[in-house]
């Protein structure tokens, strides 16, 4: 296997570990969110779980198709308990994920992996939507999240 394909597979496995972690983070956040924000945030967090697992499934299949072995390990994640901290951790995770996928997309383009490039663009769009939603949730001019 050439070095660029090995790097792509390794990178996709890193992405996969982060998708597992994101699903866990959203599951965790849905369970621990409390207070007046619970009614709105619990369904938001729960809705994201299926998206992240869908990304993980695609990545697993693609890694295997490229000749690699999909990881079964999740990336490290934090366990905040305050609402604002939950949202900030989610925002950071989404921001980092977009950056990783942009890097992977560039390598896939270099290798002529057109189908992967298109799928990564779709995933980047999903993650960007998630990021923007969290940014909107964090927009808190009244300071309600700090109370």
């Amino acid at each position: 296997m050439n070095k660029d394909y090995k790097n792509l597979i390794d990178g996709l496995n890193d992405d996969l570990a982060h998708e597992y972690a994101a699903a866990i983070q959203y599951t965790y956040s849905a369970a621990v969110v409390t207070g007046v924000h619970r009614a709105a945030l619990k369904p938001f967090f729960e809705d994201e779980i299926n998206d992240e697992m869908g990304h993980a499934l695609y990545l697993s299949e693609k890694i295997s198709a490229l000749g690699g072995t999909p990881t079964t390990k999740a990336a490290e994640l934090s366990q905040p308990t305050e609402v604002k901290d939950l949202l900030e951790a989610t925002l950071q995770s989404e921001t980092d994920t977009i950056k990783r996928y942009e890097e992977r997309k560039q390598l896939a383009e270099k290798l002529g992996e057109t189908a992967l490039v298109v799928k990564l663009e779709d995933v980047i769009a999903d993650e960007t939507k998630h990021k923007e939603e969290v940014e909107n949730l964090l927009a808190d001019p009244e300071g309600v999240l700090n109370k």
Side-chain angles (χ1 to χ4, degrees):
M1 176 179 304
N2 90 27
K3 182 181 163 208
D4 285 337
Y5 269 98
K6 181 179 179 340
N7 288 340
L8 179 62
I9 290 168
D10 290 346
L12 292 172
N13 259 318
D14 185 46
D15 298 332
L16 178 56
H18 281 89
E19 290 293 351
Y20 291 151
I24 293 166
Q25 184 76 48
Y26 281 123
T27 302
Y28 168 82
S29 296
V32 302
V33 67
T34 59
V36 299
H37 305 291
R38 183 171 174 81
L41 292 179
K42 185 177 187 308
F44 166 74
F45 290 134
E46 289 173 342
D47 286 347
E48 300 303 321
I49 296 166
N50 286 334
D51 282 352
E52 305 305 341
M53 290 309 297
H55 299 162
L57 180 59
Y58 173 78
L59 290 170
S60 294
E61 291 172 351
K62 191 61 180 181
I63 291 163
S64 183
L66 291 171
T69 301
T71 188
T72 58
K73 298 191 180 352
E76 289 294 316
L77 56 111
S78 63
Q79 291 182 278
T81 55
E82 298 298 320
V83 173
K84 186 175 182 184
D85 296 336
L86 288 169
L87 291 170
E88 287 175 345
T90 300
L91 179 61
Q92 188 61 56
S93 176
E94 295 294 354
T95 301
D96 293 346
T97 297
I98 293 164
K99 182 179 181 212
R100 277 192 310 278
Y101 281 131
E102 290 287 355
E103 291 169 3
R104 225 66 66 226
K105 186 179 103 166
Q106 288 177 5
L107 185 51
E109 285 172 338
K110 177 181 174 186
L111 292 168
E113 291 286 338
T114 305
L116 178 57
V117 170
V118 170
K119 182 63 177 179
L120 288 172
E121 287 172 347
D122 289 344
V123 173
I124 291 166
D126 283 348
E127 300 294 357
T128 300
K129 183 183 95 169
H130 299 166
K131 177 181 174 274
E132 290 168 351
E133 185 64 26
V134 175
E135 288 170 336
N136 287 333
L137 290 168
L138 276 166
D140 185 26
E142 306 296 321
V144 174
L145 291 178
N146 291 321
K147 294 179 181 174

